[in-house]
Amino acid sequence: MAASPERRASSSQRGYDYAWQRARDGYLRRHPLCCLCDRQGKVVAASVVDHIVPHRGDKALFWDRSNWQPLCKHCHDSVKQQLERSGRVAGCGADGRPLDPNHHWNRASPG
């Protein structure tokens, strides 16, 4: 019989404990709107504090507030996951320009 895959550590083992919940709640009070929806001209409440750069267990990166961003659940579970898999930001802003800063439309043209 094949070996079972390793189980993922529990959320509290990954650092999402009571201290995180308190920090998360305070952050969302100060940053109540999803930053990705905001870039598209939409006003949507944030419910997730996302680590911009995945911390992968690095406690310093985990607690680095400059590495946090407020997201709605939809953006966290779709847009952010796609970005982590593909390295590209999907979608367009209210002005119709692609959200991905590396898209050729967003690059400065040679002068």
mmCIF file of all heavy atoms in Angstrom, residues 29-59:
data_model
loop_
_atom_site.group_PDB
_atom_site.id
_atom_site.type_symbol
_atom_site.label_atom_id
_atom_site.label_comp_id
_atom_site.label_asym_id
_atom_site.label_seq_id
_atom_site.Cartn_x
_atom_site.Cartn_y
_atom_site.Cartn_z
ATOM 1 N N ARG A 29 -9.418 46.168 11.053
ATOM 2 C CA ARG A 29 -10.097 47.398 11.486
ATOM 3 C C ARG A 29 -9.448 48.628 10.838
ATOM 4 O O ARG A 29 -10.128 49.568 10.466
ATOM 5 C CB ARG A 29 -10.070 47.529 13.008
ATOM 6 C CG ARG A 29 -11.198 46.791 13.700
ATOM 7 C CD ARG A 29 -11.337 47.184 15.154
ATOM 8 N NE ARG A 29 -10.157 46.917 15.956
ATOM 9 C CZ ARG A 29 -9.841 45.745 16.483
ATOM 10 N NH1 ARG A 29 -10.633 44.700 16.289
ATOM 11 N NH2 ARG A 29 -8.761 45.602 17.203
ATOM 12 N N ARG A 30 -8.124 48.594 10.707
ATOM 13 C CA ARG A 30 -7.400 49.719 10.104
ATOM 14 C C ARG A 30 -7.386 49.672 8.571
ATOM 15 O O ARG A 30 -7.175 50.686 7.920
ATOM 16 C CB ARG A 30 -5.967 49.772 10.632
ATOM 17 C CG ARG A 30 -5.884 50.197 12.098
ATOM 18 C CD ARG A 30 -4.463 50.339 12.599
ATOM 19 N NE ARG A 30 -3.634 49.150 12.442
ATOM 20 C CZ ARG A 30 -3.672 48.071 13.228
ATOM 21 N NH1 ARG A 30 -4.516 48.026 14.244
ATOM 22 N NH2 ARG A 30 -2.878 47.054 13.009
ATOM 23 N N HIS A 31 -7.587 48.490 8.008
ATOM 24 C CA HIS A 31 -7.561 48.292 6.546
ATOM 25 C C HIS A 31 -8.800 47.479 6.166
ATOM 26 O O HIS A 31 -8.686 46.279 5.869
ATOM 27 C CB HIS A 31 -6.289 47.557 6.118
ATOM 28 C CG HIS A 31 -5.039 48.222 6.544
ATOM 29 N ND1 HIS A 31 -4.414 47.947 7.745
ATOM 30 C CD2 HIS A 31 -4.302 49.186 5.948
ATOM 31 C CE1 HIS A 31 -3.342 48.693 7.851
ATOM 32 N NE2 HIS A 31 -3.249 49.458 6.787
ATOM 33 N N PRO A 32 -9.975 48.113 6.153
ATOM 34 C CA PRO A 32 -11.219 47.344 6.003
ATOM 35 C C PRO A 32 -11.578 46.921 4.582
ATOM 36 O O PRO A 32 -12.497 46.122 4.410
ATOM 37 C CB PRO A 32 -12.277 48.305 6.553
ATOM 38 C CG PRO A 32 -11.719 49.662 6.290
ATOM 39 C CD PRO A 32 -10.223 49.514 6.452
ATOM 40 N N LEU A 33 -10.878 47.415 3.574
ATOM 41 C CA LEU A 33 -11.255 47.110 2.198
ATOM 42 C C LEU A 33 -10.226 46.242 1.487
ATOM 43 O O LEU A 33 -9.016 46.388 1.700
ATOM 44 C CB LEU A 33 -11.445 48.402 1.404
ATOM 45 C CG LEU A 33 -12.511 49.355 1.943
ATOM 46 C CD1 LEU A 33 -12.563 50.621 1.096
ATOM 47 C CD2 LEU A 33 -13.872 48.680 2.002
ATOM 48 N N CYS A 34 -10.712 45.372 0.626
ATOM 49 C CA CYS A 34 -9.847 44.505 -0.181
ATOM 50 C C CYS A 34 -9.013 45.365 -1.126
ATOM 51 O O CYS A 34 -9.556 46.140 -1.923
ATOM 52 C CB CYS A 34 -10.703 43.522 -0.972
ATOM 53 S SG CYS A 34 -9.761 42.498 -2.113
ATOM 54 N N CYS A 35 -7.705 45.242 -1.037
ATOM 55 C CA CYS A 35 -6.827 46.077 -1.863
ATOM 56 C C CYS A 35 -6.872 45.682 -3.339
ATOM 57 O O CYS A 35 -6.698 46.539 -4.209
ATOM 58 C CB CYS A 35 -5.396 46.054 -1.323
ATOM 59 S SG CYS A 35 -4.589 44.458 -1.392
ATOM 60 N N LEU A 36 -7.127 44.416 -3.646
ATOM 61 C CA LEU A 36 -7.195 44.013 -5.052
ATOM 62 C C LEU A 36 -8.489 44.485 -5.699
ATOM 63 O O LEU A 36 -8.485 44.948 -6.846
ATOM 64 C CB LEU A 36 -7.045 42.496 -5.188
ATOM 65 C CG LEU A 36 -5.700 41.919 -4.754
ATOM 66 C CD1 LEU A 36 -5.664 40.410 -4.969
ATOM 67 C CD2 LEU A 36 -4.554 42.592 -5.490
ATOM 68 N N CYS A 37 -9.600 44.417 -4.972
ATOM 69 C CA CYS A 37 -10.860 44.943 -5.499
ATOM 70 C C CYS A 37 -10.762 46.452 -5.681
ATOM 71 O O CYS A 37 -11.246 46.992 -6.672
ATOM 72 C CB CYS A 37 -12.021 44.594 -4.565
ATOM 73 S SG CYS A 37 -12.487 42.853 -4.609
ATOM 74 N N ASP A 38 -10.102 47.117 -4.732
ATOM 75 C CA ASP A 38 -9.934 48.563 -4.806
ATOM 76 C C ASP A 38 -9.216 48.962 -6.102
ATOM 77 O O ASP A 38 -9.584 49.945 -6.743
ATOM 78 C CB ASP A 38 -9.164 49.063 -3.583
ATOM 79 C CG ASP A 38 -9.010 50.572 -3.580
ATOM 80 O OD1 ASP A 38 -10.031 51.276 -3.625
ATOM 81 O OD2 ASP A 38 -7.855 51.032 -3.533
ATOM 82 N N ARG A 39 -8.226 48.198 -6.513
ATOM 83 C CA ARG A 39 -7.493 48.490 -7.755
ATOM 84 C C ARG A 39 -8.386 48.384 -8.985
ATOM 85 O O ARG A 39 -8.078 48.939 -10.030
ATOM 86 C CB ARG A 39 -6.304 47.544 -7.909
ATOM 87 C CG ARG A 39 -5.200 47.819 -6.926
ATOM 88 C CD ARG A 39 -4.034 46.879 -7.156
ATOM 89 N NE ARG A 39 -3.228 46.805 -5.953
ATOM 90 C CZ ARG A 39 -2.485 45.772 -5.605
ATOM 91 N NH1 ARG A 39 -2.412 44.717 -6.393
ATOM 92 N NH2 ARG A 39 -1.792 45.781 -4.489
ATOM 93 N N GLN A 40 -9.491 47.637 -8.842
ATOM 94 C CA GLN A 40 -10.434 47.483 -9.948
ATOM 95 C C GLN A 40 -11.592 48.465 -9.823
ATOM 96 O O GLN A 40 -12.559 48.387 -10.574
ATOM 97 C CB GLN A 40 -10.971 46.055 -9.983
ATOM 98 C CG GLN A 40 -9.901 45.028 -10.247
ATOM 99 C CD GLN A 40 -10.468 43.628 -10.243
ATOM 100 O OE1 GLN A 40 -11.523 43.370 -10.820
ATOM 101 N NE2 GLN A 40 -9.792 42.721 -9.579
ATOM 102 N N GLY A 41 -11.511 49.372 -8.847
ATOM 103 C CA GLY A 41 -12.566 50.361 -8.656
ATOM 104 C C GLY A 41 -13.767 49.840 -7.900
ATOM 105 O O GLY A 41 -14.817 50.470 -7.897
ATOM 106 N N LYS A 42 -13.633 48.682 -7.249
ATOM 107 C CA LYS A 42 -14.733 48.099 -6.484
ATOM 108 C C LYS A 42 -14.496 48.312 -4.994
ATOM 109 O O LYS A 42 -13.358 48.290 -4.541
ATOM 110 C CB LYS A 42 -14.851 46.596 -6.758
ATOM 111 C CG LYS A 42 -15.161 46.252 -8.191
ATOM 112 C CD LYS A 42 -15.440 44.764 -8.322
ATOM 113 C CE LYS A 42 -14.277 44.086 -8.999
ATOM 114 N NZ LYS A 42 -14.441 42.640 -9.086
ATOM 115 N N VAL A 43 -15.574 48.472 -4.244
ATOM 116 C CA VAL A 43 -15.498 48.609 -2.790
ATOM 117 C C VAL A 43 -16.021 47.307 -2.187
ATOM 118 O O VAL A 43 -17.218 47.018 -2.248
ATOM 119 C CB VAL A 43 -16.332 49.813 -2.290
ATOM 120 C CG1 VAL A 43 -16.297 49.893 -0.777
ATOM 121 C CG2 VAL A 43 -15.829 51.098 -2.917
ATOM 122 N N VAL A 44 -15.102 46.496 -1.647
ATOM 123 C CA VAL A 44 -15.449 45.199 -1.074
ATOM 124 C C VAL A 44 -14.733 45.063 0.264
ATOM 125 O O VAL A 44 -13.534 45.354 0.358
ATOM 126 C CB VAL A 44 -15.044 44.035 -2.013
ATOM 127 C CG1 VAL A 44 -15.354 42.688 -1.398
ATOM 128 C CG2 VAL A 44 -15.723 44.185 -3.373
ATOM 129 N N ALA A 45 -15.463 44.621 1.264
ATOM 130 C CA ALA A 45 -14.879 44.454 2.597
ATOM 131 C C ALA A 45 -13.825 43.351 2.588
ATOM 132 O O ALA A 45 -14.011 42.299 1.974
ATOM 133 C CB ALA A 45 -15.966 44.111 3.613
ATOM 134 N N ALA A 46 -12.730 43.606 3.266
ATOM 135 C CA ALA A 46 -11.676 42.592 3.434
ATOM 136 C C ALA A 46 -12.056 41.687 4.606
ATOM 137 O O ALA A 46 -12.616 42.146 5.600
ATOM 138 C CB ALA A 46 -10.337 43.262 3.707
ATOM 139 N N SER A 47 -11.732 40.420 4.480
ATOM 140 C CA SER A 47 -11.971 39.474 5.568
ATOM 141 C C SER A 47 -10.749 38.612 5.848
ATOM 142 O O SER A 47 -10.756 37.815 6.779
ATOM 143 C CB SER A 47 -13.171 38.580 5.244
ATOM 144 O OG SER A 47 -12.943 37.883 4.038
ATOM 145 N N VAL A 48 -9.707 38.781 5.025
ATOM 146 C CA VAL A 48 -8.503 37.967 5.148
ATOM 147 C C VAL A 48 -7.285 38.888 5.195
ATOM 148 O O VAL A 48 -7.210 39.844 4.421
ATOM 149 C CB VAL A 48 -8.354 37.016 3.926
ATOM 150 C CG1 VAL A 48 -7.065 36.220 3.995
ATOM 151 C CG2 VAL A 48 -9.558 36.095 3.809
ATOM 152 N N VAL A 49 -6.361 38.608 6.104
ATOM 153 C CA VAL A 49 -5.066 39.282 6.072
ATOM 154 C C VAL A 49 -4.118 38.309 5.380
ATOM 155 O O VAL A 49 -3.839 37.226 5.885
ATOM 156 C CB VAL A 49 -4.555 39.647 7.482
ATOM 157 C CG1 VAL A 49 -3.159 40.234 7.409
ATOM 158 C CG2 VAL A 49 -5.509 40.625 8.148
ATOM 159 N N ASP A 50 -3.684 38.698 4.204
ATOM 160 C CA ASP A 50 -2.856 37.840 3.364
ATOM 161 C C ASP A 50 -1.389 38.212 3.511
ATOM 162 O O ASP A 50 -1.053 39.387 3.647
ATOM 163 C CB ASP A 50 -3.281 38.031 1.903
ATOM 164 C CG ASP A 50 -2.414 37.254 0.948
ATOM 165 O OD1 ASP A 50 -2.410 36.011 1.038
ATOM 166 O OD2 ASP A 50 -1.726 37.885 0.122
ATOM 167 N N HIS A 51 -0.537 37.212 3.484
ATOM 168 C CA HIS A 51 0.909 37.441 3.440
ATOM 169 C C HIS A 51 1.281 37.606 1.970
ATOM 170 O O HIS A 51 1.134 36.663 1.182
ATOM 171 C CB HIS A 51 1.661 36.272 4.077
ATOM 172 C CG HIS A 51 1.457 36.190 5.548
ATOM 173 N ND1 HIS A 51 0.455 35.438 6.123
ATOM 174 C CD2 HIS A 51 2.112 36.794 6.561
ATOM 175 C CE1 HIS A 51 0.515 35.578 7.431
ATOM 176 N NE2 HIS A 51 1.508 36.389 7.728
ATOM 177 N N ILE A 52 1.731 38.787 1.594
ATOM 178 C CA ILE A 52 2.060 39.090 0.207
ATOM 179 C C ILE A 52 3.092 38.096 -0.312
ATOM 180 O O ILE A 52 2.921 37.476 -1.355
ATOM 181 C CB ILE A 52 2.568 40.538 0.073
ATOM 182 C CG1 ILE A 52 1.485 41.514 0.527
ATOM 183 C CG2 ILE A 52 3.014 40.826 -1.359
ATOM 184 C CD1 ILE A 52 1.978 42.929 0.783
ATOM 185 N N VAL A 53 4.171 37.946 0.431
ATOM 186 C CA VAL A 53 5.170 36.919 0.146
ATOM 187 C C VAL A 53 4.880 35.772 1.100
ATOM 188 O O VAL A 53 4.893 35.978 2.321
ATOM 189 C CB VAL A 53 6.607 37.445 0.369
ATOM 190 C CG1 VAL A 53 7.621 36.335 0.188
ATOM 191 C CG2 VAL A 53 6.902 38.619 -0.536
ATOM 192 N N PRO A 54 4.573 34.586 0.602
ATOM 193 C CA PRO A 54 4.288 33.471 1.500
ATOM 194 C C PRO A 54 5.415 33.268 2.510
ATOM 195 O O PRO A 54 6.586 33.245 2.148
ATOM 196 C CB PRO A 54 4.170 32.268 0.557
ATOM 197 C CG PRO A 54 3.815 32.868 -0.773
ATOM 198 C CD PRO A 54 4.515 34.187 -0.809
ATOM 199 N N HIS A 55 5.039 33.138 3.785
ATOM 200 C CA HIS A 55 6.052 33.061 4.845
ATOM 201 C C HIS A 55 6.685 31.685 4.974
ATOM 202 O O HIS A 55 7.807 31.575 5.449
ATOM 203 C CB HIS A 55 5.463 33.508 6.194
ATOM 204 C CG HIS A 55 4.307 32.685 6.633
ATOM 205 N ND1 HIS A 55 4.455 31.502 7.317
ATOM 206 C CD2 HIS A 55 2.980 32.876 6.493
ATOM 207 C CE1 HIS A 55 3.270 31.005 7.587
ATOM 208 N NE2 HIS A 55 2.351 31.816 7.091
ATOM 209 N N ARG A 56 5.991 30.641 4.567
ATOM 210 C CA ARG A 56 6.510 29.267 4.598
ATOM 211 C C ARG A 56 7.180 28.916 5.935
ATOM 212 O O ARG A 56 8.235 28.297 5.980
ATOM 213 C CB ARG A 56 7.480 29.029 3.458
ATOM 214 C CG ARG A 56 6.954 29.449 2.101
ATOM 215 C CD ARG A 56 6.922 28.309 1.130
ATOM 216 N NE ARG A 56 6.646 28.732 -0.228
ATOM 217 C CZ ARG A 56 5.425 28.904 -0.746
ATOM 218 N NH1 ARG A 56 4.366 28.729 -0.003
ATOM 219 N NH2 ARG A 56 5.264 29.262 -2.000
ATOM 220 N N GLY A 57 6.563 29.401 7.028
ATOM 221 C CA GLY A 57 7.069 29.077 8.365
ATOM 222 C C GLY A 57 8.081 30.061 8.922
ATOM 223 O O GLY A 57 8.472 29.949 10.082
ATOM 224 N N ASP A 58 8.508 31.034 8.142
ATOM 225 C CA ASP A 58 9.464 32.046 8.600
ATOM 226 C C ASP A 58 8.718 33.027 9.511
ATOM 227 O O ASP A 58 7.926 33.841 9.045
ATOM 228 C CB ASP A 58 10.047 32.763 7.388
ATOM 229 C CG ASP A 58 11.030 33.872 7.741
ATOM 230 O OD1 ASP A 58 10.958 34.436 8.848
ATOM 231 O OD2 ASP A 58 11.866 34.187 6.874
ATOM 232 N N LYS A 59 8.973 32.951 10.813
ATOM 233 C CA LYS A 59 8.249 33.777 11.797
ATOM 234 C C LYS A 59 8.479 35.266 11.580
ATOM 235 O O LYS A 59 7.564 36.066 11.768
ATOM 236 C CB LYS A 59 8.638 33.393 13.233
ATOM 237 C CG LYS A 59 8.088 32.060 13.663
ATOM 238 C CD LYS A 59 6.589 32.136 13.755
ATOM 239 C CE LYS A 59 6.028 30.852 14.299
ATOM 240 N NZ LYS A 59 4.579 30.841 14.268
#
